[in-house]
Structure formats: structure tokens, C-alpha cells
Amino acid sequence: MKRTVVPVAAVAVALIGGCAGEASGCDAEYRLAEVKGEKRPVRIEPGQHHPGLNDRELEEALPTPEQEAATNDKVLNHLRRETVRMAGVMGETGRGRCAGEVDRPRGETVRCTVTYEGVTVPWLVTSKGTTSGMGAFSQDFVYTAKPLKTLHTARSVYDWYAWETGKNGTTEGPLAPVDPRCDRLPEVFTAEPGEETGYFCQDVSKTCTDDVQHVEWGDRPIRSEENGDLSFLAG
């Protein structure tokens, strides 16, 4: 009787090959309409243009006062510049005022306010004393300034998130952001320094557990840092 021998190794290879060809649940296609969670209304186009205003633009908008100008005027000009820098776009800013003279003994503080597009921004100016100035027998007032409220614009937030999602130049592939979005923000608003603003940006977050795909809108709280910079916390 003729015996038939079945090559075991060949069968094993065929079985393994058949499993590998099957699509994993984590590789399945999905539609944005199927993404779970709240979809924020403002779509953001990722970009590689660095947002914000530079020193030259701020100097042109708010020229440095003359050396002979009053100390309060110099300080207020600086506060107006920093307020516009936080806003990220040019806007109308008032002269501002301080609750007394800022040139005080080292360690003393004075509260000052400036406005941007009609919104008041309070600052705390702390004296660090005086130091020798540029001219003979002159002295310069040294100080630190801290915003008691940070100021932001919708345009700046959207521009910063566009940069955040596009700065690496990745527009395709698994690392590319999917449909980044943000809340519809007020044109101008203030926030608490070092705190979340209460607004969110987002993109699509995809995870896999036990070969099951989970796709949802990944919210990223918008945070205002102590100096007014923006950060987008990972959800």
C-alpha cells in the first residue's frame, strides 16, 4: 500500500499566513461621524508659521519713550507692549495708569492697569531698586512686572494651535493630527495666570485595547501660563 506523507511544516506555514492576512480590529477604517465625544465647532488648519508678534513689530507700534520721559511713562509703555504680546495680534491699547509712582524702594509694589480693545488688564509692578544708567550721573529704575490677569484673543489661540499641530511638518501618516478643532472663543478674553482657561482644542485620538479600536475626540484644555503664554494640555 502506498503511504501519503503530509508535510507538517508546510501546513503550519499556510495556517500562519492565513491569520496574518486578516485585518486587525485596530486597523479598521472609521469615519469622523463615528468619532465619540463632543466635536468642537472651529476647524483648525495645521501650519508651520510661528504665531505671535516680534520685538520689531512691538517697537514700531509702541516706540520706546525718550530717556528723559517719566519713569511711570516708561513702565506703562512696557506694560502695553507686553499686553499686546499676550494678545498676539495688534489692537488698540490705552495709555494706562498706575496707583501712584512706581519708582519706590526695593521690594515695594504698585498696581497698574492698561487696556486692550477696551478690556482692562491689571499688572503688579515690583521695585528692584535703581542701577547706574547710560548717561553720566543717571540712574535707571529696575522692576519686575507680573500680569494679574492674562489677555488672549481668539485669533492668537487658533494660530497657536495651528502651530502646535503642524510645527513638526507631519501632515500624513499615523502621527499626523486628525481634524484639529477648538471652541468658538470670544474675540478678546482674560484668564487666570497659571490656570486652565475653561476652553478646549482637540483632535481625534485613537487607541486599541484587546484588538478593539477606540476612536474619540481628545480634548486638550487651553492653559494660560504665568507670563501669558498658551499651552495645550494633553488629554
Side-chain angles (χ1 to χ4, degrees), residues 87-103:
V89 293
M90 291 298 179
E92 183 178 351
T93 173
R95 176 183 177 276
R97 62 185 181 84
C98 295
E101 295 298 320
V102 296
D103 192 352

Side-chain angles (χ1 to χ4, degrees), residues 188-202:
V188 182
F189 64 98
T190 59
E192 296 294 332
E195 302 287 344
E196 295 179 13
T197 62
Y199 298 111
F200 295 84
C201 290
Q202 65 181 185

Side-chain angles (χ1 to χ4, degrees), residues 43-49 158-159 161-171 176-181 203:
R43 191 174 189 280
I44 304 297
E45 186 68 33
Q48 296 182 46
H49 174 72
Y158 299 152
D159 287 347
Y161 195 55
W163 162 257
E164 179 73 14
T165 55
K167 62 185 178 184
N168 295 325
T170 304
T171 57
V178 179
D179 199 27
R181 293 178 166 272
D203 56 14

Side-chain angles (χ1 to χ4, degrees), residues 35-53:
V35 179
K36 295 181 180 179
E38 179 185 357
K39 180 179 178 180
R40 307 288 168 177
V42 180
R43 191 174 189 280
I44 304 297
E45 186 68 33
Q48 296 182 46
H49 174 72
H50 198 287
L53 301 169

Side-chain angles (χ1 to χ4, degrees), residues 128-161:
K128 296 296 181 181
T130 56
T131 185
S132 298
M134 296 294 292
F137 308 111
S138 68
Q139 289 186 319
D140 290 332
F141 173 61
V142 183
Y143 64 97
T144 59
K146 174 184 177 181
L148 300 177
K149 292 278 189 180
T150 59
L151 180 127
H152 310 281
T153 59
R155 180 71 270 155
S156 180
V157 174
Y158 299 152
D159 287 347
W160 275 104
Y161 195 55

